[in-house]
Amino acid sequence: PVLLPESELARAPGAKPSSFQVVIKSPKSYPLMKPENLAYVQIDWVGSFTAAAGAAIYSGGSWPSAYNGHYFTTEPTINVVHHEEVKPTALGYSGQKLRTEEFIGSRDLWFRPIETRIGPDGALYVLDFYNQAVIHNDTRGPTHNNVNAAVRPDRDHYFGRIWKVDHKEAKPLPAAKLNGASKKDLMAALGHPNRAVQMSAHRLLAEQGAAELPRLAADPNASTAARIHALWLSDKAGALNTETLANALGSADPALQKTAARIAARPNSSRSSSASLEQALLKSAKTGTGAARLEALVALSHLPPSEKIASEIVAIYPDLKDPWLESAARTVAVQDANAAIKAALASPRSSELAGLAEALATHAASGEATASGRLLETLAGAPAGAAVKKAALEGLLRGTKRDATAPWSASIKSAFQTLLSSPDASVQTAALPLAARWDARGELGAQAAQAAQNLLANLKKPNLDEPTRRQLITSLAGVQKLDANILPSIGSIIGSSDSVSLQEHALRVLGDLGGADASKALADAFPRTPPSLRENALGQLLKRPE
């Protein structure tokens, strides 16, 4: 549809001079306004969207079903109403414009659509600001008032228009009894095809209440819309029992699952310790689809932590494959990080759980010191799970503040001794800088020094892969005081036959260290620094007082 100025419309017999019509014209023969013909000059994005407003999702029920969920919005500065088809994606939705032309466009300078709504009759209603002057900040020089709005004589302050846009195949909607309706009629209206009718019935039932709502929420023969409304209304009235909520979570309908999970996340002391609800949420988190799975994970994070929840979350984590789901699962696992990492260490897929372990350990280190200590003892006591141990130790090191007082006891000392003598070199590499930071009194002594020598020997192995050497450089720099050969050995990488990226890493690690020894290592390496790193190396030297 193309909206045209009144002067260009052919009037129907007997039409009033002030009436308007919607006429159909070919976009090719009747082009829309060009930017140079607009009533004012846009500051940026000329001819494009700068003031999208008034979004509506089609839920009217009278248009063909293909339009359900479609998106409409307005753009008053370029005189259009925009339309997109909306399709569900893995966890959300995506929109796609269906045609080259806009849904409605106008050459009428006064057509300024600013709002869209779906009416109770199923039609789309467009609110038209009906004003040639639509912008506040006019750059062409008119006077501006105390709120920076342009004072323009052509701005209309009185009139507006409302357009009703309907589909030519729209079907009549069934009558809905709302005014003075019985509770039975209002409950029936919850399943009406039009959302405006549904919401009016919802409001009235929220005000009046209905004892039958929990039964409607559990009725498998009722429509999805009616059951969703009934779930929310029952919860608001305090009448929603755990069994009904768990049954909705087990429904095959993702919308019901999602709604039930959202309600389960709400504070409710009578539901928080329900084993059946916990089991239903765990099942939805494991087997649910899309947003229903995400909402189940979010709801689990609101339940009291337990080893069972931690274990189940760890079991499904490698299969989530989505950053939103992974983030939600970490939020659940962090409620009992120690139990989750214990499960990860015992998992047959422990190598896929390193990212989770690092995130949990980083969080644990930022809290009470006792949590870090318990976690360290858990890592030392596990017979397997080297990838999880390495990641968790790195997370503990990252999360522990340098000036924080680390826990220390005989059991902590024993845990470090076990980790420093691990047969896996990556675990030793990760444990050593953490041990050096926690062992303020040097009780690990010779064992820490021996571990440093072992790592230094590994650094010099010619066939070691670059990621491992990077980690060795970082770890050794953190324990430089244990061996005088550490900093010169790191410096020797600069200007060697190693890759430029590894040399740059060594340069950055030395540059981040304070003290004269690090300065000497940088200065000794400078003459052999490759040209591509020379400016970086000079900067590292010049910023050091010594």
Short mmCIF file of all heavy atoms in Angstrom, two decimals, residues 440-489:
data_model
loop_
_atom_site.label_atom_id
_atom_site.label_comp_id
_atom_site.label_asym_id
_atom_site.label_seq_id
_atom_site.Cartn_x
_atom_site.Cartn_y
_atom_site.Cartn_z
N ALA A 440 53.57 -18.16 51.81
CA ALA A 440 54.26 -16.93 52.24
C ALA A 440 55.49 -17.21 53.09
O ALA A 440 56.45 -16.43 53.09
CB ALA A 440 53.27 -16.05 53.01
N ARG A 441 55.51 -18.34 53.81
CA ARG A 441 56.63 -18.64 54.70
C ARG A 441 57.64 -19.59 54.06
O ARG A 441 58.60 -20.03 54.71
CB ARG A 441 56.11 -19.24 56.01
CG ARG A 441 55.32 -18.24 56.84
CD ARG A 441 54.76 -18.87 58.10
NE ARG A 441 53.69 -19.84 57.78
CZ ARG A 441 52.95 -20.44 58.72
NH1 ARG A 441 53.17 -20.20 60.00
NH2 ARG A 441 52.01 -21.30 58.37
N GLY A 442 57.45 -19.93 52.81
CA GLY A 442 58.40 -20.78 52.11
C GLY A 442 58.47 -22.20 52.61
O GLY A 442 59.54 -22.84 52.55
N GLU A 443 57.36 -22.75 53.10
CA GLU A 443 57.38 -24.10 53.66
C GLU A 443 57.57 -25.18 52.59
O GLU A 443 57.97 -26.31 52.89
CB GLU A 443 56.09 -24.36 54.44
CG GLU A 443 55.96 -23.51 55.70
CD GLU A 443 54.73 -23.88 56.52
OE1 GLU A 443 54.24 -25.03 56.38
OE2 GLU A 443 54.27 -23.03 57.30
N LEU A 444 57.22 -24.85 51.34
CA LEU A 444 57.39 -25.85 50.29
C LEU A 444 58.85 -25.96 49.85
O LEU A 444 59.25 -26.96 49.26
CB LEU A 444 56.50 -25.50 49.09
CG LEU A 444 55.00 -25.60 49.35
CD1 LEU A 444 54.20 -25.02 48.21
CD2 LEU A 444 54.60 -27.06 49.59
N GLY A 445 59.59 -24.89 50.10
CA GLY A 445 61.04 -24.87 49.94
C GLY A 445 61.59 -25.60 48.75
O GLY A 445 61.36 -25.24 47.58
N ALA A 446 62.35 -26.67 49.01
CA ALA A 446 63.09 -27.39 47.98
C ALA A 446 62.18 -27.98 46.92
O ALA A 446 62.55 -28.04 45.74
CB ALA A 446 63.93 -28.49 48.63
N GLN A 447 60.98 -28.42 47.32
CA GLN A 447 60.08 -29.03 46.33
C GLN A 447 59.64 -28.00 45.29
O GLN A 447 59.59 -28.29 44.10
CB GLN A 447 58.85 -29.65 46.99
CG GLN A 447 57.98 -30.41 46.00
CD GLN A 447 56.78 -31.05 46.65
OE1 GLN A 447 56.51 -30.85 47.82
NE2 GLN A 447 56.05 -31.85 45.88
N ALA A 448 59.34 -26.77 45.73
CA ALA A 448 58.95 -25.71 44.80
C ALA A 448 60.11 -25.37 43.87
O ALA A 448 59.94 -25.18 42.66
CB ALA A 448 58.47 -24.49 45.55
N ALA A 449 61.32 -25.30 44.46
CA ALA A 449 62.50 -24.99 43.64
C ALA A 449 62.76 -26.09 42.61
O ALA A 449 63.10 -25.81 41.45
CB ALA A 449 63.71 -24.81 44.53
N GLN A 450 62.59 -27.34 43.02
CA GLN A 450 62.77 -28.45 42.08
C GLN A 450 61.74 -28.41 40.97
O GLN A 450 62.03 -28.67 39.80
CB GLN A 450 62.68 -29.77 42.83
CG GLN A 450 62.94 -31.00 41.96
CD GLN A 450 64.31 -30.98 41.31
OE1 GLN A 450 65.32 -30.83 41.99
NE2 GLN A 450 64.34 -31.12 39.99
N ALA A 451 60.49 -28.08 41.33
CA ALA A 451 59.43 -27.97 40.33
C ALA A 451 59.77 -26.87 39.33
O ALA A 451 59.54 -27.02 38.12
CB ALA A 451 58.09 -27.68 41.01
N ALA A 452 60.31 -25.75 39.82
CA ALA A 452 60.71 -24.66 38.92
C ALA A 452 61.80 -25.12 37.95
O ALA A 452 61.78 -24.80 36.76
CB ALA A 452 61.17 -23.46 39.73
N GLN A 453 62.76 -25.88 38.45
CA GLN A 453 63.82 -26.40 37.58
C GLN A 453 63.25 -27.35 36.53
O GLN A 453 63.68 -27.34 35.37
CB GLN A 453 64.88 -27.11 38.43
CG GLN A 453 65.71 -26.16 39.28
CD GLN A 453 66.73 -26.90 40.14
OE1 GLN A 453 67.00 -28.08 39.90
NE2 GLN A 453 67.28 -26.22 41.14
N ASN A 454 62.29 -28.17 36.92
CA ASN A 454 61.65 -29.09 35.97
C ASN A 454 60.95 -28.32 34.85
O ASN A 454 61.05 -28.67 33.67
CB ASN A 454 60.65 -29.99 36.68
CG ASN A 454 61.31 -30.94 37.66
OD1 ASN A 454 62.52 -31.20 37.58
ND2 ASN A 454 60.53 -31.46 38.61
N LEU A 455 60.24 -27.26 35.25
CA LEU A 455 59.54 -26.46 34.24
C LEU A 455 60.53 -25.74 33.34
O LEU A 455 60.29 -25.61 32.12
CB LEU A 455 58.61 -25.44 34.92
CG LEU A 455 57.48 -26.00 35.80
CD1 LEU A 455 56.57 -24.87 36.25
CD2 LEU A 455 56.69 -27.06 35.06
N LEU A 456 61.62 -25.28 33.91
CA LEU A 456 62.64 -24.60 33.12
C LEU A 456 63.25 -25.56 32.10
O LEU A 456 63.51 -25.19 30.95
CB LEU A 456 63.72 -24.04 34.05
CG LEU A 456 64.62 -22.94 33.50
CD1 LEU A 456 63.80 -21.78 32.94
CD2 LEU A 456 65.55 -22.44 34.60
N ALA A 457 63.46 -26.79 32.51
CA ALA A 457 63.99 -27.80 31.59
C ALA A 457 62.99 -28.08 30.47
O ALA A 457 63.37 -28.25 29.29
CB ALA A 457 64.32 -29.08 32.35
N ASN A 458 61.70 -28.12 30.82
CA ASN A 458 60.66 -28.33 29.80
C ASN A 458 60.63 -27.19 28.79
O ASN A 458 60.42 -27.41 27.60
CB ASN A 458 59.29 -28.48 30.46
CG ASN A 458 59.10 -29.81 31.14
OD1 ASN A 458 59.79 -30.77 30.83
ND2 ASN A 458 58.20 -29.86 32.10
N LEU A 459 60.82 -25.96 29.27
CA LEU A 459 60.79 -24.79 28.38
C LEU A 459 61.84 -24.90 27.28
O LEU A 459 61.64 -24.41 26.17
CB LEU A 459 60.99 -23.52 29.21
CG LEU A 459 60.98 -22.19 28.44
CD1 LEU A 459 59.62 -21.96 27.78
CD2 LEU A 459 61.32 -21.03 29.37
N LYS A 460 62.94 -25.54 27.59
CA LYS A 460 64.05 -25.61 26.64
C LYS A 460 63.94 -26.80 25.68
O LYS A 460 64.80 -26.95 24.80
CB LYS A 460 65.37 -25.69 27.41
CG LYS A 460 65.65 -24.44 28.23
CD LYS A 460 66.91 -24.56 29.06
CE LYS A 460 67.15 -23.29 29.88
NZ LYS A 460 68.36 -23.38 30.72
N LYS A 461 62.91 -27.63 25.86
CA LYS A 461 62.75 -28.75 24.94
C LYS A 461 62.37 -28.24 23.56
O LYS A 461 61.45 -27.43 23.43
CB LYS A 461 61.68 -29.71 25.47
CG LYS A 461 62.10 -30.47 26.72
CD LYS A 461 61.00 -31.40 27.20
CE LYS A 461 61.44 -32.19 28.43
NZ LYS A 461 60.37 -33.08 28.95
N PRO A 462 63.04 -28.71 22.50
CA PRO A 462 62.84 -28.14 21.16
C PRO A 462 61.50 -28.48 20.51
O PRO A 462 60.99 -27.71 19.70
CB PRO A 462 64.00 -28.74 20.35
CG PRO A 462 64.32 -30.02 21.07
CD PRO A 462 64.08 -29.75 22.51
N ASN A 463 60.90 -29.61 20.85
CA ASN A 463 59.69 -30.06 20.15
C ASN A 463 58.40 -29.74 20.90
O ASN A 463 57.34 -30.28 20.57
CB ASN A 463 59.77 -31.56 19.89
CG ASN A 463 60.94 -31.93 19.00
OD1 ASN A 463 61.29 -31.17 18.09
ND2 ASN A 463 61.54 -33.08 19.26
N LEU A 464 58.45 -28.90 21.89
CA LEU A 464 57.27 -28.56 22.68
C LEU A 464 56.36 -27.63 21.87
O LEU A 464 56.85 -26.70 21.21
CB LEU A 464 57.70 -27.87 23.99
CG LEU A 464 56.81 -28.06 25.21
CD1 LEU A 464 56.70 -29.53 25.56
CD2 LEU A 464 57.36 -27.28 26.38
N ASP A 465 55.05 -27.85 21.92
CA ASP A 465 54.13 -27.00 21.15
C ASP A 465 54.06 -25.60 21.76
O ASP A 465 54.35 -25.40 22.95
CB ASP A 465 52.73 -27.62 21.11
CG ASP A 465 52.11 -27.76 22.48
OD1 ASP A 465 51.47 -26.81 22.94
OD2 ASP A 465 52.30 -28.83 23.10
N GLU A 466 53.69 -24.63 20.92
CA GLU A 466 53.74 -23.23 21.35
C GLU A 466 52.77 -22.90 22.49
O GLU A 466 53.16 -22.18 23.42
CB GLU A 466 53.47 -22.29 20.17
CG GLU A 466 53.60 -20.83 20.54
CD GLU A 466 53.67 -19.91 19.34
OE1 GLU A 466 54.35 -20.26 18.35
OE2 GLU A 466 53.06 -18.83 19.39
N PRO A 467 51.51 -23.37 22.49
CA PRO A 467 50.62 -23.06 23.63
C PRO A 467 51.21 -23.51 24.97
O PRO A 467 51.11 -22.79 25.97
CB PRO A 467 49.34 -23.83 23.30
CG PRO A 467 49.33 -23.94 21.81
CD PRO A 467 50.78 -24.11 21.44
N THR A 468 51.86 -24.69 24.98
CA THR A 468 52.46 -25.18 26.23
C THR A 468 53.63 -24.29 26.64
O THR A 468 53.79 -23.96 27.83
CB THR A 468 52.94 -26.63 26.06
OG1 THR A 468 51.82 -27.44 25.69
CG2 THR A 468 53.55 -27.16 27.35
N ARG A 469 54.44 -23.86 25.68
CA ARG A 469 55.57 -22.99 26.00
C ARG A 469 55.09 -21.63 26.51
O ARG A 469 55.69 -21.04 27.39
CB ARG A 469 56.47 -22.82 24.77
CG ARG A 469 57.12 -24.12 24.31
CD ARG A 469 58.18 -23.87 23.28
NE ARG A 469 59.39 -23.32 23.89
CZ ARG A 469 60.39 -22.76 23.21
NH1 ARG A 469 60.31 -22.66 21.90
NH2 ARG A 469 61.45 -22.31 23.84
N ARG A 470 54.01 -21.13 25.95
CA ARG A 470 53.44 -19.86 26.43
C ARG A 470 53.06 -19.99 27.91
O ARG A 470 53.34 -19.09 28.72
CB ARG A 470 52.20 -19.48 25.62
CG ARG A 470 52.49 -18.86 24.27
CD ARG A 470 51.19 -18.70 23.49
NE ARG A 470 51.40 -17.91 22.30
CZ ARG A 470 51.20 -16.60 22.19
NH1 ARG A 470 50.77 -15.93 23.25
NH2 ARG A 470 51.43 -15.96 21.08
N GLN A 471 52.40 -21.11 28.24
CA GLN A 471 51.98 -21.31 29.63
C GLN A 471 53.19 -21.46 30.55
O GLN A 471 53.21 -20.94 31.67
CB GLN A 471 51.09 -22.54 29.73
CG GLN A 471 50.52 -22.79 31.11
CD GLN A 471 49.69 -21.63 31.61
OE1 GLN A 471 48.87 -21.08 30.87
NE2 GLN A 471 49.92 -21.21 32.85
N LEU A 472 54.22 -22.12 30.07
CA LEU A 472 55.45 -22.27 30.86
C LEU A 472 56.10 -20.92 31.13
O LEU A 472 56.54 -20.63 32.25
CB LEU A 472 56.43 -23.19 30.14
CG LEU A 472 56.16 -24.70 30.24
CD1 LEU A 472 57.04 -25.46 29.25
CD2 LEU A 472 56.38 -25.20 31.65
N ILE A 473 56.15 -20.07 30.11
CA ILE A 473 56.74 -18.73 30.27
C ILE A 473 55.98 -17.95 31.33
O ILE A 473 56.57 -17.33 32.23
CB ILE A 473 56.74 -17.98 28.93
CG1 ILE A 473 57.74 -18.62 27.96
CG2 ILE A 473 57.08 -16.51 29.12
CD1 ILE A 473 57.63 -18.11 26.54
N THR A 474 54.66 -17.98 31.23
CA THR A 474 53.83 -17.24 32.19
C THR A 474 54.01 -17.77 33.61
O THR A 474 54.17 -17.00 34.56
CB THR A 474 52.35 -17.33 31.78
OG1 THR A 474 52.20 -16.81 30.44
CG2 THR A 474 51.47 -16.52 32.71
N SER A 475 53.99 -19.08 33.76
CA SER A 475 54.12 -19.68 35.09
C SER A 475 55.49 -19.42 35.69
O SER A 475 55.62 -19.07 36.87
CB SER A 475 53.85 -21.19 35.01
OG SER A 475 52.51 -21.43 34.64
N LEU A 476 56.54 -19.58 34.88
CA LEU A 476 57.91 -19.36 35.39
C LEU A 476 58.13 -17.91 35.80
O LEU A 476 58.81 -17.63 36.79
CB LEU A 476 58.93 -19.79 34.33
CG LEU A 476 59.12 -21.30 34.19
CD1 LEU A 476 59.88 -21.63 32.91
CD2 LEU A 476 59.84 -21.87 35.41
N ALA A 477 57.55 -16.99 35.07
CA ALA A 477 57.71 -15.58 35.43
C ALA A 477 57.11 -15.30 36.80
O ALA A 477 57.59 -14.43 37.54
CB ALA A 477 57.05 -14.70 34.38
N GLY A 478 56.07 -16.06 37.16
CA GLY A 478 55.44 -15.86 38.46
C GLY A 478 56.25 -16.41 39.62
O GLY A 478 55.94 -16.11 40.78
N VAL A 479 57.27 -17.22 39.33
CA VAL A 479 58.09 -17.79 40.40
C VAL A 479 59.57 -17.48 40.16
O VAL A 479 60.45 -18.28 40.48
CB VAL A 479 57.87 -19.32 40.50
CG1 VAL A 479 56.44 -19.62 40.95
CG2 VAL A 479 58.16 -20.01 39.17
N GLN A 480 59.84 -16.31 39.61
CA GLN A 480 61.21 -15.94 39.22
C GLN A 480 62.19 -16.00 40.41
O GLN A 480 63.38 -16.28 40.23
CB GLN A 480 61.23 -14.53 38.64
CG GLN A 480 60.63 -13.49 39.57
CD GLN A 480 60.81 -12.07 39.07
OE1 GLN A 480 61.94 -11.64 38.85
NE2 GLN A 480 59.71 -11.37 38.86
N LYS A 481 61.69 -15.81 41.62
CA LYS A 481 62.58 -15.79 42.78
C LYS A 481 63.10 -17.18 43.16
O LYS A 481 64.03 -17.30 43.96
CB LYS A 481 61.86 -15.15 43.97
CG LYS A 481 61.52 -13.68 43.76
CD LYS A 481 60.80 -13.10 44.96
CE LYS A 481 60.47 -11.64 44.72
NZ LYS A 481 59.74 -11.04 45.88
N LEU A 482 62.46 -18.22 42.60
CA LEU A 482 62.88 -19.57 42.95
C LEU A 482 64.15 -20.01 42.22
O LEU A 482 64.83 -20.94 42.66
CB LEU A 482 61.76 -20.57 42.63
CG LEU A 482 60.48 -20.46 43.48
CD1 LEU A 482 59.44 -21.45 43.01
CD2 LEU A 482 60.80 -20.69 44.96
N ASP A 483 64.48 -19.36 41.11
CA ASP A 483 65.65 -19.76 40.33
C ASP A 483 66.15 -18.56 39.55
O ASP A 483 65.40 -17.95 38.78
CB ASP A 483 65.28 -20.90 39.37
CG ASP A 483 66.50 -21.59 38.78
OD1 ASP A 483 67.42 -20.88 38.35
OD2 ASP A 483 66.51 -22.84 38.73
N ALA A 484 67.43 -18.23 39.72
CA ALA A 484 68.01 -17.06 39.06
C ALA A 484 68.09 -17.22 37.54
O ALA A 484 68.30 -16.24 36.82
CB ALA A 484 69.41 -16.79 39.62
N ASN A 485 67.94 -18.43 37.03
CA ASN A 485 68.04 -18.67 35.60
C ASN A 485 66.72 -18.44 34.85
O ASN A 485 66.69 -18.52 33.62
CB ASN A 485 68.51 -20.10 35.33
CG ASN A 485 69.93 -20.33 35.81
OD1 ASN A 485 70.80 -19.47 35.62
ND2 ASN A 485 70.16 -21.47 36.46
N ILE A 486 65.64 -18.20 35.60
CA ILE A 486 64.33 -18.13 34.95
C ILE A 486 64.24 -16.93 34.00
O ILE A 486 63.91 -17.08 32.81
CB ILE A 486 63.21 -18.08 36.02
CG1 ILE A 486 63.08 -19.44 36.68
CG2 ILE A 486 61.88 -17.67 35.38
CD1 ILE A 486 62.05 -19.51 37.80
N LEU A 487 64.53 -15.72 34.48
CA LEU A 487 64.37 -14.53 33.63
C LEU A 487 65.34 -14.53 32.45
O LEU A 487 64.93 -14.21 31.32
CB LEU A 487 64.51 -13.26 34.47
CG LEU A 487 63.41 -13.04 35.53
CD1 LEU A 487 63.56 -11.68 36.18
CD2 LEU A 487 62.02 -13.18 34.93
N PRO A 488 66.62 -14.88 32.63
CA PRO A 488 67.49 -14.95 31.45
C PRO A 488 67.01 -15.98 30.43
O PRO A 488 67.14 -15.76 29.22
CB PRO A 488 68.84 -15.36 32.06
CG PRO A 488 68.80 -14.85 33.45
CD PRO A 488 67.38 -15.03 33.88
N SER A 489 66.43 -17.08 30.91
CA SER A 489 65.94 -18.10 29.98
C SER A 489 64.74 -17.58 29.18
O SER A 489 64.62 -17.84 27.98
CB SER A 489 65.53 -19.37 30.74
OG SER A 489 66.65 -19.94 31.38
#
